Amino acid sequence: MSCHAVSPAAADANEGEHDLATLLGTLRPERRDGVYRFATLASTDAIDFERVLCAMHEPEGVSIVARESELPANAAPSALRCCWITLRVRSSLAAVGLTATVAGTLAQAGIACNVVAGTRHDHLFVPLADADRAMALLAALQRSSDTVPDHGTSP
């Protein structure tokens, strides 16, 4: 096995977009199939990481997000049933304003939004009943960004 050093310039180039106008103009939201739930477990022992999307250690236990049908039997699920929306724009973890703008747009419409950041994309978990409205609002947010031309990448 070999390790390859990555130059700082190459790391910056691969980090993702920082500019908020560009991010908003190229959101490309994609709704993933399925119903998802947040849940809590006492420990990581029962977590099958092939089926769990993410996990976070909290003082009360380990919070997870998983497909509703794949929650561990000993998980305490939240009442909220969610859809999963991925923002396909390649965003930097250091970008400022994307999460606030997206969550704020949904909040103005009365839609809860739980954001999970990946190293390349942001993922939104919104109430299942609001999934279509959320997708429409995100598409409108992308269209309203007139500083970045849309090159046929709209959802």
Side-chain angles (χ1 to χ4, degrees):
M1 177 178 205
S2 65
C3 294
H4 299 283
V6 176
S7 73
D12 286 347
N14 292 323
E15 186 178 305
E17 183 60 55
H18 287 83
D19 180 70
L20 182 58
T22 301
L23 289 165
L24 294 174
T26 57
L27 279 178
R28 298 187 324 271
E30 176 183 8
R31 182 175 173 183
R32 311 290 288 266
D33 290 335
V35 177
Y36 298 85
R37 301 275 289 268
F38 286 76
T40 303
L41 294 164
S43 73
T44 58
D45 295 343
I47 297 177
D48 177 353
F49 285 101
E50 293 296 319
R51 294 182 174 193
V52 170
L53 299 174
C54 58
M56 176 63 66
H57 291 268
E58 297 185 286
E60 302 83 2
V62 180
S63 290
I64 62 169
V65 180
R67 200 179 272 271
E68 185 176 59
S69 61
E70 297 181 350
L71 284 172
N74 62 335
S78 67
L80 184 64
R81 299 177 77 223
C82 298
C83 82
W84 172 15
I85 300 170
T86 296
L87 302 179
R88 293 183 304 156
V89 62
R90 176 93 186 271
S91 57
S92 168
L93 288 169
V96 176
L98 178 61
T99 301
T101 302
V102 167
T105 297
L106 297 177
Q108 287 178 353
I111 299 174
C113 178
N114 296 282
V115 181
V116 175
T119 56
R120 292 177 178 83
H121 304 283
D122 290 300
H123 306 273
L124 315 177
F125 293 89
V126 302
L128 194 58
D130 295 322
D132 291 338
R133 283 193 318 131
M135 286 296 293
L137 287 164
L138 294 170
L141 178 60
Q142 178 178 325
R143 283 191 306 273
S144 72
S145 179
D146 58 7
T147 59
V148 178
D150 182 2
H151 298 288
T153 58
S154 295

mmCIF file of all heavy atoms in Angstrom, residues 6-13:
data_model
loop_
_atom_site.group_PDB
_atom_site.id
_atom_site.type_symbol
_atom_site.label_atom_id
_atom_site.label_comp_id
_atom_site.label_asym_id
_atom_site.label_seq_id
_atom_site.Cartn_x
_atom_site.Cartn_y
_atom_site.Cartn_z
ATOM 1 N N VAL A 6 -0.642 15.039 -1.312
ATOM 2 C CA VAL A 6 -1.420 15.942 -2.149
ATOM 3 C C VAL A 6 -0.931 17.350 -1.863
ATOM 4 O O VAL A 6 -0.859 17.762 -0.708
ATOM 5 C CB VAL A 6 -2.929 15.826 -1.845
ATOM 6 C CG1 VAL A 6 -3.726 16.831 -2.651
ATOM 7 C CG2 VAL A 6 -3.409 14.414 -2.110
ATOM 8 N N SER A 7 -0.574 18.070 -2.914
ATOM 9 C CA SER A 7 -0.098 19.438 -2.720
ATOM 10 C C SER A 7 -1.230 20.320 -2.216
ATOM 11 O O SER A 7 -2.400 20.049 -2.488
ATOM 12 C CB SER A 7 0.444 19.998 -4.038
ATOM 13 O OG SER A 7 -0.640 20.274 -4.912
ATOM 14 N N PRO A 8 -0.911 21.388 -1.467
ATOM 15 C CA PRO A 8 -1.964 22.295 -0.992
ATOM 16 C C PRO A 8 -2.805 22.866 -2.133
ATOM 17 O O PRO A 8 -4.014 22.997 -2.006
ATOM 18 C CB PRO A 8 -1.184 23.401 -0.270
ATOM 19 C CG PRO A 8 0.085 22.734 0.168
ATOM 20 C CD PRO A 8 0.393 21.739 -0.930
ATOM 21 N N ALA A 9 -2.180 23.163 -3.270
ATOM 22 C CA ALA A 9 -2.941 23.699 -4.410
ATOM 23 C C ALA A 9 -3.924 22.669 -4.940
ATOM 24 O O ALA A 9 -5.080 22.979 -5.244
ATOM 25 C CB ALA A 9 -1.990 24.144 -5.522
ATOM 26 N N ALA A 10 -3.495 21.423 -5.032
ATOM 27 C CA ALA A 10 -4.386 20.360 -5.507
ATOM 28 C C ALA A 10 -5.494 20.111 -4.506
ATOM 29 O O ALA A 10 -6.642 19.880 -4.878
ATOM 30 C CB ALA A 10 -3.590 19.084 -5.759
ATOM 31 N N ALA A 11 -5.178 20.168 -3.225
ATOM 32 C CA ALA A 11 -6.201 19.967 -2.196
ATOM 33 C C ALA A 11 -7.256 21.060 -2.305
ATOM 34 O O ALA A 11 -8.450 20.788 -2.227
ATOM 35 C CB ALA A 11 -5.567 19.968 -0.815
ATOM 36 N N ASP A 12 -6.827 22.333 -2.491
ATOM 37 C CA ASP A 12 -7.783 23.431 -2.631
ATOM 38 C C ASP A 12 -8.654 23.243 -3.858
ATOM 39 O O ASP A 12 -9.850 23.487 -3.820
ATOM 40 C CB ASP A 12 -7.046 24.777 -2.737
ATOM 41 C CG ASP A 12 -6.475 25.212 -1.391
ATOM 42 O OD1 ASP A 12 -6.852 24.628 -0.356
ATOM 43 O OD2 ASP A 12 -5.631 26.131 -1.390
ATOM 44 N N ALA A 13 -8.067 22.773 -4.962
ATOM 45 C CA ALA A 13 -8.824 22.588 -6.206
ATOM 46 C C ALA A 13 -9.874 21.489 -6.056
ATOM 47 O O ALA A 13 -10.914 21.538 -6.703
ATOM 48 C CB ALA A 13 -7.874 22.248 -7.349
#
